[in-house]
Amino acid sequence: MTDGHQGQQRPLGAVGSRERPVVPTGALGRTSRLAMLPLRHTARTAAAASRLSRAATDQVAARTAEQLFTTLGELKGGAAKLGQAMSVFEAAMPEEVAAPYRSALRRLTDAAPAMPAEVARRVVAADLAAAYGPGWQDRLVAFDDMPGAAASIGQVHRGQWRIDGGQVVQVAVKVQYPGVGQALRSDLRQARLLTRVMARLTRLNVSGLADELASRIVEELDYVREGRVQAEVGAAFVHRLPKELAAARAAGVQEPPGRTSVTVPAVYAATPRVLITRWLDGAPLSALLSGRADLLPEGWRELSRRDAADQAARLLGHAIYAPAACTGWMHADLHPGNFLLLPGGRLGMLDFGAVAATPHGIPAPFGQLAAAVLAGDGPTAIRLARQAGALAPDAEVDPRLIIELLHPLAATGADTSFTYSRAWLRGLMAHLTEPRFAPALRNLTPPPEYALVWRATLSAAGLFAQLGATVPTRGFHLAYSPGFRGSIPPAQLQPTDTLRHAS
């Protein structure tokens, strides 16, 4: 994480114990502001549709994006979490309206209004005193009042922490907003309202995403859980070879290069509302997405735009799939604000509040189904869908229709590499919503236990499309998905040299 400034760090000192919510918590006020978003968007979209002029249309789109960012950013809580989810799918919008939304939504992922320093100090003092007793100030020896980053349920301050042995290290102190739990639960009751906004922006049916977000987002309030998950995920990127990758190598598969170039910050302390981790200096992934080469660190700025995008996507692939296969956790909040481009061409991975549990690795039916679709084996695809609980035992579905429906998704793993693009993603969304697939889609229901995995997988495709990157997707499937690897004939385990492009 990087804050673009070097603030004044000083001892935290004694602070008062009274805390007041810094996030608007009134259910009536929050609900009314959320409810107004779809209505305002409808009115502005209608105005744009009049086509009085291209300039007028662009101005309407920009005003709508600005109003959306302002409302979500100020409300924080579940409202801002939904806004962050929207940022991943902006690549699926029609290009003529994507630019203003792209700018506004990235601002939402990178920043939000800050809580006062004295409030943050009270939260930190209360939680650390409960965890470490009166000697807690010997641990957190300095604290920067100016937040380095602000997000939906908390903000991050730079500080200094004395680790065991006496060494003082630079740390990120993540502090939860007082009152955000109440606000978040209020927002989740209104998730359907923001889903309507999201549907208009992306032309997607995202009700399933909103439902899953509503049922799982409360877990993000637990910083103790987040600290434990973060520490476990870090093990996927050490030089030691995890047993899952050892099994892949024994089968003749080498994972794409770059796994050990992903960094997860070490966790030093985790309390219910405070998480203290190693500080990472780098540039947000959004700097690359927006073409700000001047912001990129050494190891990135020397690369061409295409090479930098390909390298970022390759490291993102490891960041997404290696933890799922090797540690039992899959990052499910894949917006650009959670990744940093680090010096030396490395990638930093942040924020483990939203994760999918994969205790047995990437679910076998995912890989098996992809392999069956690539092989054009409709009956096997139907059988696997039934086994996974995605298709009812008595549901009648044309196997050929299932293969045709799912083939564009599976095709990303057909050859050595696949080049993603915004046009490809828009085409994919248009394909999935074709009327002829409606009978199949009515019968396909992803099991609830796989919902976050689906969210992460689709979000990964969204990030790759935003980057316009060429990705060794098949290599990731072979290395990290035993279900896919075990369904591929041995002679085909080494992918072809053909580059699969989509424009």
Side-chain angles (χ1 to χ4, degrees):
M1 58 205 68
T2 183
D3 52 10
H5 84 287
Q6 185 63 47
Q8 179 68 34
Q9 295 189 33
R10 56 191 177 89
L12 199 61
V15 294
S17 59
R18 187 179 182 186
E19 296 175 11
R20 293 181 179 178
V22 299
V23 177
T25 58
L28 180 60
R30 294 181 70 84
T31 299
S32 64
R33 293 188 70 182
L34 293 177
M36 285 299 292
L37 281 172
L39 298 178
R40 290 171 181 167
H41 183 77
T42 299
R44 287 173 175 169
T45 300
S50 66
R51 303 297 183 188
L52 294 177
S53 70
R54 179 60 179 269
T57 300
D58 292 345
Q59 186 178 21
V60 167
R63 284 202 309 268
T64 304
E66 181 65 26
Q67 185 263 328
L68 178 68
F69 164 76
T70 300
T71 299
L72 296 180
E74 289 176 355
L75 287 177
K76 297 189 177 74
K81 294 303 296 183
L82 286 170
Q84 289 174 350
M86 291 163 66
S87 72
V88 173
F89 292 97
E90 60 87 8
M93 298 180 203
E95 188 58 34
E96 62 270 18
V97 298
Y101 291 111
R102 190 175 307 142
S103 174
L105 293 174
R106 284 197 190 134
R107 287 172 56 197
L108 179 62
T109 66
D110 291 339
M115 69 171 141
E118 63 271 17
V119 177
R121 286 174 168 264
R122 290 191 186 104
V123 174
V124 172
D127 270 36
L128 293 187
Y132 293 96
W136 66 268
Q137 292 183 69
D138 294 332
R139 292 277 188 168
L140 187 62
V141 298
F143 183 85
D144 189 346
D145 283 345
M146 182 69 69
S152 52
I153 65 173
Q155 65 190 34
V156 177
H157 294 253
R158 193 163 187 165
Q160 296 180 17
W161 181 262
R162 181 175 285 112
I163 62 177
D164 294 339
Q167 181 185 1
V168 175
V169 295
Q170 296 292 318
V171 295
V173 184
K174 185 176 179 179
V175 187
Q176 194 171 113
Y177 300 124
V180 74
Q182 179 183 347
L184 187 149
R185 292 176 175 87
S186 174
D187 289 348
L188 296 183
R189 290 191 291 271
Q190 307 300 324
R192 286 286 182 182
L193 297 175
L194 282 180
T195 300
R196 288 157 56 190
V197 178
M198 194 172 175
R200 289 191 180 97
L201 294 179
T202 63
R203 301 180 182 177
L204 302 176
N205 180 357
V206 294
S207 60
L209 173 65
D211 289 343
E212 181 58 24
L213 191 60
S215 64
R216 301 291 296 275
I217 198 173
V218 176
E219 295 176 347
E220 298 186 46
L221 295 169
D222 187 352
Y223 283 3
V224 174
R225 172 183 178 272
E226 180 176 344
R228 175 174 59 84
V229 170
Q230 182 166 333
E232 293 177 2
V233 166
F237 307 110
V238 298
H239 286 280
R240 178 181 58 83
L241 187 67
K243 64 178 182 180
E244 289 76 9
L245 285 178
R249 291 191 182 182
V253 172
Q254 292 281 342
E255 75 271 20
R259 176 177 58 89
T260 58
S261 292
V262 178
T263 296
V264 175
V267 177
Y268 298 119
T271 70
R273 298 180 300 170
V274 177
L275 182 62
I276 300 178
T277 63
R278 174 189 168 198
W279 181 270
L280 296 182
D281 278 311
L285 180 62
S286 56
L288 180 59
L289 292 172
S290 59
R292 291 296 307 276
D294 57 308
L295 299 179
L296 302 182
E298 168 270 326
W300 290 98
R301 60 175 173 264
E302 298 86 354
L303 301 175
S304 68
R305 171 64 177 82
R306 178 178 294 275
D307 288 345
D310 290 352
Q311 179 164 315
R314 188 172 65 252
L315 298 184
L316 281 167
H318 285 292
I320 295 162
Y321 298 115
C326 303
T327 73
W329 298 107
M330 189 174 195
H331 203 304
D333 196 7
L334 304 180
H335 67 80
N338 282 339
F339 298 96
L340 290 178
L341 305 177
L342 305 179
R346 300 174 62 83
L347 181 76
M349 190 178 182
L350 308 173
D351 198 346
F352 296 86
V355 290
T358 56
H360 305 295
I362 296 175
F366 273 62
Q368 293 168 342
L369 181 59
V373 171
L374 286 178
D377 188 346
T380 297
I382 294 290
R383 175 177 57 81
L384 289 168
R386 295 192 198 282
Q387 287 180 356
L391 186 64
D394 58 347
E396 293 295 332
V397 180
D398 183 347
R400 294 171 298 179
L401 200 63
I402 290 292
I403 294 298
E404 191 175 353
L405 171 68
L406 299 180
H407 191 270
L409 284 168
T412 61
D415 295 319
T416 303
S417 298
F418 187 90
T419 298
Y420 294 78
S421 68
R422 297 176 188 277
W424 168 81
L425 185 58
R426 288 194 296 271
L428 172 65
M429 299 309 171
H431 169 83
L432 295 176
T433 56
E434 286 184 23
R436 62 198 177 95
F437 295 132
L441 289 171
R442 278 196 297 268
N443 288 300
L444 286 173
T445 305
E449 62 268 27
Y450 293 159
L452 280 183
V453 177
W454 274 113
R455 173 187 169 188
T457 301
L458 292 175
S459 296
L463 280 179
F464 295 157
Q466 289 185 60
L467 286 164
T470 299
V471 185
T473 310
R474 183 180 176 88
F476 288 128
H477 291 341
L478 290 173
Y480 294 129
S481 174
F484 183 82
R485 186 172 64 244
S487 302
I488 299 296
Q492 299 178 21
L493 284 179
Q494 293 303 322
T496 69
D497 293 329
T498 304
L499 280 181
R500 178 70 174 241
H501 291 277
S503 57

